[in-house]
Amino acid sequence: MGNCSGKQHKPPAGIIPSELLKKTPSVQEKPKVELIPLPLPTPPECINKGSPVVKLYGPANSTATFYIRFGILYKPVSLQYTPSNIVESPVLYCDSDVVSGSPEEIFRYLDSKFPEPPLLVKGGGSVNSFGWFDKTTPLVVWMVNLQHRSMMWHLERMVRWAEDMAHRGGKTKGDPVMGSPKMEMKKFGRNYEALMEIMLEHARMEERVVFPILDKADRGLSKAANEEHGRDLPVMNGIKEDIKSIGVLDLGTPVYQEALLILSNRLKKLKENSKQHFEEEEKELLPYMEATDLGKVQQGKVLEQCLDSMRETHGHNFRFFLEGLLPQDAIHYLDMIIKSSDNNRVSLMLHMVVD
């Protein structure tokens, strides 16, 4: 366990088109404008043979151990993890440094030792495009916002991927790791199915958990947002059928090329509609959640209800979902769940990501 090789691991959310990979900065580069979510490597957590080695000792079934192992996935290091019940809490060894304490303390050390990409947000937390999110923002609002970020990242990736396939039209191959055009379309379909499942669960979660809280405080407050959820369902189903149809068409034919263009345009429409819907919620609806005066205990219960409403997102799609978040946002998302959910649920979720 913990042995590293120089082999590159493919992103678990499916293989990303080479065009997108070229536009994603490495973990050692400092982005000029904004940070971009980075694919989580598949364990063993190895960047390359020359990367620094960190050693971690801790109880195998400890939530804290899983959490720290998850954070280390983002860093340009090779992890050698050894399960140990001798220590009560995880201990990290790096060069001559020995670090123990809470996951946050170890993340703070890792950020000082390996600044990019950061795991913790400096100054109290990230904000959305409207700038009003802070430490007093209800947990459920943060959860909704971070889910929006992940879904939008995946939508933008799918749009660019579809555009790339439409440009090639089945006549030329893309990145060799994508395989043949038919193999690539199957991978594209699996990615879209995961994204669609997350989007549908997110909508149901809002309808069953978030909107009722707002409507209880002010009847009809979420009516417009609720109605918009059904607007894009035909488009989403149409994209799914397009992908199936393209898979059986003859490569490079005019019909095949036209089908790829239709797929690309439908995805663009879905992305535009989703962006508008998410921004309207964050600007016009979610700020009212703070006025509902949910206490800490209530916020924890609401978060549990959200998790119960999105079992697949936080189950077999969890790694895919996290890939759409910046490292610091992924850490924030997990931190909320850890503080509000039972250890068994959290350990199972993290186990699916790090093992």
Side-chain angles (χ1 to χ4, degrees), residues 207-220:
E207 293 165 5
R208 296 174 181 178
V209 181
V210 179
F211 294 166
I213 295 173
L214 293 169
D215 288 338
K216 184 178 180 180
D218 185 348
R219 187 176 180 180

Side-chain angles (χ1 to χ4, degrees), residues 28 69 142 232 236 247 271 302 325 336 343:
Q28 294 178 333
R69 289 175 63 192
W142 268 117
D232 292 325
M236 296 171 71
K271 186 194 79 169
V302 169
L325 295 175
M336 290 191 298
N343 287 334

Side-chain angles (χ1 to χ4, degrees), residues 59-71 347 350-351 354-355:
N61 296 321
S62 164
T63 299
T65 302
F66 277 125
Y67 193 21
I68 293 168
R69 289 175 63 192
F70 170 77
S347 295
L350 288 170
H351 177 75
V354 302
D355 284 335

Side-chain angles (χ1 to χ4, degrees), residues 172-219:
T172 58
K173 295 181 180 179
D175 193 320
V177 299
M178 302 297 289
S180 68
K182 287 189 178 294
M183 293 168 64
E184 181 178 10
M185 183 54 63
K186 288 181 180 179
K187 292 168 184 174
F188 185 90
R190 287 195 295 269
N191 275 251
Y192 179 73
E193 286 179 4
L195 176 57
M196 184 176 178
E197 197 165 30
I198 291 172
M199 293 181 72
L200 291 175
E201 281 199 329
H202 172 82
R204 286 196 295 268
M205 178 272 291
E206 288 189 329
E207 293 165 5
R208 296 174 181 178
V209 181
V210 179
F211 294 166
I213 295 173
L214 293 169
D215 288 338
K216 184 178 180 180
D218 185 348
R219 187 176 180 180

Side-chain angles (χ1 to χ4, degrees), residues 52-203:
V53 175
V54 296
K55 298 179 180 180
L56 179 68
Y57 298 85
N61 296 321
S62 164
T63 299
T65 302
F66 277 125
Y67 193 21
I68 293 168
R69 289 175 63 192
F70 170 77
I72 292 174
L73 284 174
Y74 289 108
K75 293 298 185 180
V77 300
S78 299
L79 172 64
Q80 293 182 359
Y81 167 61
T82 303
S84 173
N85 291 320
I86 298 177
V87 293
E88 294 183 0
S89 59
V91 179
L92 185 78
Y93 292 80
C94 181
D95 296 330
S96 60
D97 298 335
V98 181
V99 186
S100 61
S102 67
E104 183 177 354
E105 290 171 318
I106 291 179
F107 290 159
R108 192 176 295 115
Y109 166 80
L110 289 170
D111 277 352
S112 65
K113 188 80 172 179
F114 310 100
E116 298 296 338
L119 299 178
L120 300 178
V121 180
K122 297 179 181 179
S126 57
V127 297
N128 73 337
S129 56
F130 304 104
W132 59 270
F133 284 28
D134 56 31
K135 287 186 175 181
T136 65
T137 302
L139 296 179
V140 65
V141 176
W142 268 117
M143 172 170 275
V144 170
N145 177 263
L146 292 174
Q147 288 176 5
H148 287 173
R149 295 183 192 184
S150 176
M151 289 184 288
M152 281 307 305
W153 184 84
H154 280 293
L155 276 170
E156 290 167 359
R157 181 175 69 95
M158 297 295 292
V159 166
R160 293 176 62 183
W161 191 350
E163 288 177 337
D164 181 54
M165 289 192 296
H167 177 72
R168 287 183 275 124
K171 294 182 178 181
T172 58
K173 295 181 180 179
D175 193 320
V177 299
M178 302 297 289
S180 68
K182 287 189 178 294
M183 293 168 64
E184 181 178 10
M185 183 54 63
K186 288 181 180 179
K187 292 168 184 174
F188 185 90
R190 287 195 295 269
N191 275 251
Y192 179 73
E193 286 179 4
L195 176 57
M196 184 176 178
E197 197 165 30
I198 291 172
M199 293 181 72
L200 291 175
E201 281 199 329
H202 172 82

Side-chain angles (χ1 to χ4, degrees), residues 204-267:
R204 286 196 295 268
M205 178 272 291
E206 288 189 329
E207 293 165 5
R208 296 174 181 178
V209 181
V210 179
F211 294 166
I213 295 173
L214 293 169
D215 288 338
K216 184 178 180 180
D218 185 348
R219 187 176 180 180
L221 188 62
S222 62
K223 181 180 179 181
N226 211 340
E227 290 174 348
E228 284 189 3
H229 280 177
R231 176 189 62 183
D232 292 325
L233 190 57
V235 178
M236 296 171 71
N237 288 330
I239 293 171
K240 187 176 181 180
E241 293 304 314
D242 287 343
I243 294 171
K244 290 181 181 178
S245 299
I246 293 171
V248 298
L249 293 175
D250 293 331
L251 296 175
T253 62
V255 175
Y256 183 87
Q257 294 171 4
E258 183 181 3
L260 285 173
L261 286 173
I262 292 173
L263 172 64
S264 177
N265 289 332
R266 279 186 169 167
L267 275 166

